[in-house]
């Protein structure tokens, strides 16, 4: 049976990447009925909002979407469509697998990590008080001399509910994907209340998976050092929002950077797949940037849809094209102005050919 999937091409380099991704997924053997929904800059001009209700309705109906990047104007303009999507659909888990493919130039090989980041609370909850505001003064009063009077304040909420939900997600993901271990990452030696609650909850969840998936803990600072020294020792890592933001970029760097780092934002029965990178406006319309990150997000989507064979076929083809190093975009060549680099479309076509070999 065909799966209905919402395809949001996005803006900047998004539409070219989305087109290449759609073609390789169509050639993977999975049957997908695409429902294309425009969002982003051009839509803002035409419809007065960058994220019209019709886009959300489409995702709610299909339960699965894949999207190209969308520009967030700096200093004014509209708020991030990406954040609005996560909020509107309660996409509480951000999944970022970071795997090394032979042929990508990196300092380490054998890296195969998955960062599971809580997406809804922590310092990203948006509860912030400007210095000198009435709210900031109230908090300064509550803190009994531990906060200076001229401090701006960002609140860090960590709940038992959200911690349980994200850690359980990490264990389920580990179990369903044949992974060995889940590592909880936070800093409870300093943040005893918030990060202490996160670890306590994680230990409780880990008991449910005893004998199936291992559990351990690292403090976030030590984890960073471990990752840049011995990344091959780690597997699935689960953490609150801010640590997850930082560590997922660190892990993407370990495996070759933005061009190859896929992602997914997942909620209860709904998921939006997207690359980590942005809309790279300076390359828009040039058929230049690397489609690998969005295509690998498509591989994650196929697995989520239960299309394991198609996912494996597509992932193998991506790996083969990268390992061969011929039909790849400029950023994957040893020299960035290598004249043999191919465009976005041509790399996609090479992946389609590799699937039929
Ligand atoms: P960016 O990721 O768009 O680009 C930074 C640089 O990384 C580019 O100039 C390019 O050199 C390189 N790069 C990015 N993607 C690449 C690819 N596929 N292949 C090869 N090289 C690639 O980051 P930015 O410039 O900070 O952001 C541009 C816009 O994208 C901003 O408006 C930002 O808000 C938005 N953004 C959107 C998302 C999203 O849609 N989820 C994520 C991040 C940023």
């Amino acid at each position: 049976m065909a799966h209905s999937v919402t395809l949001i091409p996005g803006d900047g380099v998004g539409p070219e990447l989305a087109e290449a991704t759609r073609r390789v997924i169509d050639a993977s053997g999975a049957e997908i009925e695409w429902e294309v929904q425009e969002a982003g800059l051009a839509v803002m001009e035409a419809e007065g909002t960058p994220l019209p209700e019709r886009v959300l309705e489409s995702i709610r109906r299909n339960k699965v979407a894949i999207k190209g990047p969308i520009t967030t104007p700096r200093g004014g303009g509209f708020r991030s469509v990406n954040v609005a999507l996560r909020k509107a659909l309660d996409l509480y888990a951000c999944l970022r697998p970071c795997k090394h493919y032979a042929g990508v130039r990196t300092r380490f090989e054998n890296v195969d990590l998955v960062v599971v980041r809580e997406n809804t609370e922590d310092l990203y909850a948006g509860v912030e008080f400007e210095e000198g505001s009435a709210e900031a003064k109230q908090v300064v009063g509550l803190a009994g001399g531990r906060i200076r009077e001229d401090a701006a304040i960002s609140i860090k909420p960590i709940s038992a509910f959200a911690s349980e939900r994200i850690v359980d997600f990490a264990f389920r993901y580990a179990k369903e994907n044949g992974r060995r271990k889940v590592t909880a990452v936070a800093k409870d030696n300093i943040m005893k209340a918030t990060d202490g609650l996160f670890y306590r909850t994680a230990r409780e969840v880990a008991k449910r998976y005893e004998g199936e998936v291992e559990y351990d803990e690292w403090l976030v600072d030590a984890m960073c050092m471990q990752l840049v020294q011995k990344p091959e020792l780690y597997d699935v890592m689960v953490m609150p929002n801010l640590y997850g933001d930082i560590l997922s970029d660190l892990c993407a760097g370990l495996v070759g950077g933005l061009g190859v780092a896929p992602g997914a934002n997942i909620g209860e029965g709904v998921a939006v797949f997207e690359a980590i990178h942005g809309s790279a406006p300076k390359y828009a319309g040039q058929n230049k940037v690397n489609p690998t990150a969005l295509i690998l997000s498509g591989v994650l989507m196929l697995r989520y849809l239960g299309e394991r064979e198609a996912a494996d076929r597509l992932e193998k083809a991506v790996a083969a094209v990268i390992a061969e190093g011929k039909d790849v975009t400029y950023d994957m060549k040893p020299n960035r102005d290598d004249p043999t680099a191919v465009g976005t479309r041509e790399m996609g076509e090479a992946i389609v050919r590799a699937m039929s070999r």
Side-chain angles (χ1 to χ4, degrees), residues 245-294:
D245 190 13
I246 298 168
L247 258 66
S248 51
D249 270 31
L250 187 155
C251 292
L254 290 176
V255 295
L258 287 176
V260 294
N265 293 294
I266 302 178
E268 291 305 335
V270 56
V272 177
F273 296 82
E274 63 177 335
I276 293 183
H277 64 71
S279 57
K282 68 177 176 200
Y283 294 129
Q286 295 180 25
N287 187 38
K288 185 171 168 82
V289 297
N290 191 347
T292 301
L294 193 58

Side-chain angles (χ1 to χ4, degrees), residues 3-152:
H3 307 275
S4 295
V5 170
T6 301
L7 175 70
I8 304 170
D11 53 39
V13 293
E16 312 156 44
L17 297 175
E19 188 50 35
T21 301
R22 173 179 173 154
R23 283 195 189 173
V24 297
I25 291 176
D26 282 341
S28 71
E31 254 186 79
I32 307 284
E33 257 174 44
W34 301 102
E35 191 176 313
V36 177
Q37 288 285 345
E38 301 290 345
L41 272 182
V43 171
M44 172 76 193
E45 278 151 32
E47 300 181 43
T49 164
L51 182 63
E53 193 50 36
R54 60 173 168 76
V55 181
L56 292 170
E57 273 166 22
S58 167
I59 303 174
R60 287 196 186 105
R61 195 167 50 244
N62 294 325
K63 316 250 185 275
V64 179
I66 185 161
K67 71 173 274 292
I70 293 178
T71 306
T72 307
R74 291 181 68 178
F78 54 83
R79 292 193 58 201
S80 166
V81 171
N82 311 302
V83 174
L85 257 180
R86 283 170 216 158
K87 286 217 162 122
L89 301 168
D90 194 20
L91 304 172
Y92 66 85
C94 177
L95 181 70
R96 289 184 170 174
C98 296
K99 179 166 157 183
H100 176 256
Y101 291 93
V104 180
R105 265 167 304 283
T106 56
R107 287 176 190 274
F108 297 97
E109 286 169 7
N110 303 324
V111 178
D112 185 3
L113 298 162
V114 179
V115 178
V116 176
R117 165 186 173 190
E118 204 288 325
N119 237 352
T120 66
E121 52 180 26
D122 193 357
L123 287 159
Y124 286 70
V127 189
E128 298 199 288
F129 307 124
E130 305 279 345
E131 75 278 14
S133 63
E135 295 94 335
K137 280 187 188 145
Q138 262 181 300
V139 181
V140 168
L142 285 174
R146 286 169 294 175
I147 304 179
R148 287 181 58 96
E149 300 238 327
D150 58 350

